[in-house]
Amino acid sequence: MLQAYGISILDCIFKEPKAYCNVFDHIVLLCSIFCFVPVGYVQARLAYVEAQGELKVPFKDALPTREEQLSTLRNTEEFDVLVVGGGATGSGCALDAVTRNLKTALVERSDFSSGTSSRSTKLIHGGVRYLQKAIMKLDYEQYMMVKEALHERANLLNIAPHLSAPLPIMLPVYKWWQLPYYWAGIKMYDLVAGSQCLKSSYVLSKSKALELFPMLKKDKLVGAIVYYDGQHNDARMNLAIALTAARHGAAIANYTEVVHLLKKPDPKTGQEKVCGAHCRDIITGQEFDVRARCVINATGPFTDSLRKMDNQKTANICQPSAGVHIVIPGYYSPDNMGLLDPATSDGRVIFFLPWEKMTVAGTTDTPTEVTAHPIPVEDDINFILSEVRNYLSPDVEVRRGDVLAAWSGIRPLVTDPNSKDTQSICRNHIVNISDSGLITIAGGKWTTYRSMAEETLDTAIKAHNLSAGPSRTVGLMLDGGKDWTPTLYIRLVQDYGLENEVAQHLAATYGGRAFEVAKMAQVTGKRWPIVGKRLVSEFPYIEILQLLEQHEGE
């Protein structure tokens, strides 16, 4: 009740910003809300919403092979929807479409999640810094963006529990006046999440902060604030979305690129309308047409390439920005505690997170060119290392040689072509319909892929007069999530004789389908483990018998 009351106050204030136009009013507002939040703030439970009704799953057990999927793409007379792009947003669009009983196709010219969707910070979050801007500038759009992302965060944690989990993130404080300021902001983050708050944030003393994060710089440390966001395996999550779409009947194929768009004249107006795409199987070189009533452009940084296939004269809307991350040894951070640097030397935010027994640090935000394989530049790597040094103890020598890996992802920031001020970058996402009927979904963030897909399909259904009901993806379990439990790996150890670490890896990667992978594991020839021959001794990745036999036969 109290949280709902607090959020309703925020909604009213953001809708009437003129009444609260100075900093003093902001402080009064925050105090008035937080004074009513009791010290024994009770952690709210995650809201869980079941998918509406039972959905038919044509391929509940075995999925069609790639050859069968390509055959469906070639031989289907006309799809309702063709999605171009197999990232999180494109796969989400395919899943949303097929679960509305629309005949759905998806093509991706590389691997699923080979681009931006696998090069994120691995967080499922609402965006603490966006909420700060929303409050300080009374920006209703940013506030609603955070509110939506927090709802999607809760949903994603529920539908893929094997690939995601809450993660505590520490915000160290080195000045006394920052403690109440940051505390108020983080509590506001909890408040906006409402019933979908993961766990309540809390304040730590200096000694307790150093106990939990011993690598922290001690000098001038006042204390710390810990809040919760979600962490996920972004590449596997993307693949789970695509697999779920395939299980529900979508025809999907990777290494299938669009050569050009197909068009035909509208019988009523005579205007050329997009009616599909001419595609090429990159592996075999075979070309074929995929016809569809609606084509959705979900190509991320390559948005403008497909838009120019539709109309060479169309203006670019993508403003590509490079987000670089580095991987450093696990001893740089605790096993289950992240770190947030809220104000770096140039105003960016840097995360410092445990990941796969290593530590991921990032990200940057610098203009870049769109390329299929972006490469992190040395300046960005050194910038991240420099910021890391500012927060770690002088006893910890942060060396360039400790960087084990680095990657660069292209953040597809966009300008809204429908906006009067076309130079301003859209903070959220846009859905655009071209004169020929091409639907483009661009911008946005990983966390809100599902709601972006829902909005895109709503637009497509209306624009192309498709027969479909409302979205059914809220609460729809992703591939492997339904039968997963936190103790599933124990059954893998007991039933198949796998090493504990290997079993945990399989359970966290494949969820309830880990048993299918375990059945294909190589016999080791040892007394223990019985099965699960590792590819590399240091990592829990194992040889699969079926794939080895297939490779030997080629």
Side-chain angles (χ1 to χ4, degrees):
M1 178 69 182
L2 178 61
Q3 286 186 337
Y5 175 70
I7 292 173
S8 68
I9 291 175
L10 285 175
D11 284 328
C12 292
I13 290 169
F14 280 115
K15 288 173 183 175
E16 297 293 336
K18 291 182 181 179
Y20 298 86
C21 57
N22 56 54
V23 176
F24 177 77
D25 288 327
H26 292 297
I27 297 172
V28 172
L29 164 65
L30 290 172
C31 292
S32 66
I33 293 174
F34 289 121
C35 282
F36 289 98
V37 179
V39 176
Y41 175 73
V42 181
Q43 175 190 337
R45 296 181 61 188
L46 280 172
Y48 183 80
V49 184
E50 291 286 353
Q52 301 173 9
E54 287 295 322
L55 290 169
K56 293 181 180 179
V57 186
F59 304 105
K60 192 172 184 179
D61 298 318
L63 282 167
T65 63
R66 181 172 183 273
E67 289 71 24
E68 291 169 335
Q69 295 280 31
L70 286 169
S71 178
T72 302
L73 289 171
R74 285 193 302 266
N75 300 323
T76 299
E77 184 177 347
E78 185 180 52
F79 289 95
D80 292 314
V81 174
L82 167 62
V83 182
V84 183
T89 305
S91 299
C93 286
L95 179 58
D96 192 283
V98 75
T99 51
R100 298 195 199 204
N101 293 321
L102 293 171
K103 196 179 294 183
T104 306
L106 181 149
V107 293
E108 160 60 43
R109 71 176 179 182
S110 188
D111 279 316
F112 294 109
S113 194
S114 59
T116 303
S117 295
S118 62
R119 303 176 188 185
S120 72
T121 314
K122 320 296 182 189
L123 285 179
I124 312 171
H125 63 119
V128 173
R129 63 186 185 276
Y130 296 130
L131 182 60
Q132 179 190 25
K133 292 176 183 177
I135 294 171
M136 298 309 295
K137 297 181 180 179
L138 287 175
D139 189 328
Y140 185 66
E141 181 188 344
Q142 291 231 29
Y143 164 65
M144 290 306 297
M145 184 174 67
V146 174
K147 195 173 180 180
E148 176 190 48
L150 289 171
H151 167 74
E152 294 301 324
R153 178 188 71 176
N155 181 67
L156 195 49
L157 286 165
N158 275 316
I159 64 177
H162 59 306
L163 297 172
S164 60
L167 176 73
I169 300 176
M170 181 181 292
L171 198 164
V173 180
Y174 288 90
K175 296 179 181 177
W176 280 106
W177 67 267
Q178 290 179 332
L179 195 60
Y181 174 76
Y182 287 144
W183 178 84
I186 295 299
K187 277 299 176 185
M188 182 69 77
Y189 193 60
D190 291 350
L191 193 66
V192 174
S195 63
Q196 295 167 332
C197 176
L198 301 181
K199 290 184 180 181
S200 181
S201 55
Y202 54 91
V203 177
L204 292 174
S205 65
K206 176 179 179 178
S207 59
K208 191 64 178 178
L210 291 172
E211 180 183 329
L212 293 175
F213 209 119
M215 309 82 174
L216 268 182
K217 184 171 66 176
K218 302 175 184 178
D219 294 346
K220 299 181 180 179
L221 181 67
V222 173
I225 299 167
V226 176
Y227 74 97
Y228 286 79
D229 257 327
Q231 188 176 49
H232 72 147
N233 185 331
D234 53 2
R236 289 299 311 186
M237 186 73 80
N238 191 158
L239 188 57
I241 299 166
L243 288 172
T244 308
R247 290 198 186 280
H248 282 83
I252 69 173
N254 58 357
Y255 290 95
T256 305
E257 68 174 348
V258 171
V259 179
H260 61 81
L261 296 174
L262 303 176
K263 291 187 178 182
K264 66 180 180 181
D266 188 304
K268 294 181 180 180
T269 64
Q271 185 178 7
E272 291 284 299
K273 294 290 184 181
V274 173
C275 63
H278 184 72
C279 300
R280 179 192 294 121
D281 180 351
I282 295 176
I283 296 175
T284 65
Q286 184 179 10
E287 296 189 8
F288 54 92
D289 290 342
V290 179
R291 298 195 175 273
R293 297 174 63 187
C294 170
V295 176
I296 294 175
N297 174 12
T299 54
F302 301 95
T303 292
D304 289 323
S305 297
L306 199 68
R307 293 177 75 244
K308 288 186 182 296
M309 282 188 190
D310 177 30
N311 180 3
Q312 280 290 338
K313 296 181 180 179
T314 192
N316 288 346
I317 61 171
C318 186
Q319 305 285 325
S321 172
V324 173
H325 295 80
I326 63 172
V327 179
I328 49 183
Y331 52 71
Y332 275 99
S333 66
D335 291 337
N336 193 36
M337 178 70 74
L339 186 75
L340 168 65
D341 178 357
T344 62
S345 56
D346 67 350
R348 304 171 189 171
V349 172
I350 291 287
F351 285 99
F352 195 60
L353 309 168
W355 177 250
E356 299 285 346
K357 298 185 178 180
M358 301 294 175
T359 301
V360 170
T363 179
T364 60
D365 186 5
T366 52
T368 187
E369 296 294 323
V370 177
T371 59
H373 303 288
I375 299 173
V377 298
E378 193 67 23
D379 286 347
D380 285 337
I381 294 173
N382 288 328
F383 167 78
I384 296 172
L385 288 173
S386 176
E387 294 302 326
V388 167
R389 290 187 187 98
N390 291 337
Y391 275 86
L392 295 187
S393 169
D395 298 337
V396 180
E397 184 184 355
V398 181
R399 304 171 300 179
R400 175 62 179 85
D402 285 339
V403 177
L404 305 173
W407 68 80
S408 176
I410 301 178
R411 190 180 292 109
L413 304 176
V414 290
T415 54
D416 189 346
N418 301 317
S419 174
K420 293 179 181 178
D421 179 12
T422 56
Q423 297 304 310
S424 59
I425 293 178
C426 178
R427 302 185 193 93
N428 202 343
H429 63 271
I430 61 166
V431 178
N432 175 253
I433 309 174
S434 73
D435 293 337
S436 62
L438 176 68
I439 307 288
T440 295
I441 169 67
K445 54 192 292 187
W446 222 121
T447 305
T448 56
Y449 85 91
R450 192 212 62 83
S451 59
M452 289 164 60
E454 179 180 343
E455 183 182 336
T456 304
L457 264 297
D458 286 343
T459 303
I461 289 166
K462 185 177 179 180
H464 293 272
N465 197 27
L466 303 177
S467 178
S471 176
R472 305 177 74 181
T473 52
V474 172
L476 178 66
M477 298 299 289
L478 296 184
D479 199 61
K482 186 177 181 181
D483 299 320
W484 177 86
T485 65
T487 56
L488 183 145
Y489 75 95
I490 297 175
R491 288 175 53 201
L492 290 170
V493 174
Q494 294 174 336
D495 295 352
Y496 294 94
L498 288 162
E499 288 179 87
N500 188 57
E501 186 183 13
V502 171
Q504 287 179 329
H505 163 68
L506 293 182
T509 304
Y510 302 98
R513 298 193 174 274
F515 296 98
E516 298 173 28
V517 181
K519 289 176 184 177
M520 297 186 288
Q522 277 272 64
V523 175
T524 63
K526 300 178 182 178
R527 187 173 182 181
W528 186 265
I530 299 171
V531 299
K533 187 177 179 181
R534 296 195 184 204
L535 289 167
V536 180
S537 59
E538 291 84 359
F539 298 98
Y541 312 126
I542 59 173
E543 294 181 2
I544 298 298
L545 182 61
Q546 184 175 340
L547 296 178
L548 286 172
E549 290 175 347
Q550 181 181 347
H551 180 69
E552 288 171 359
E554 288 177 347

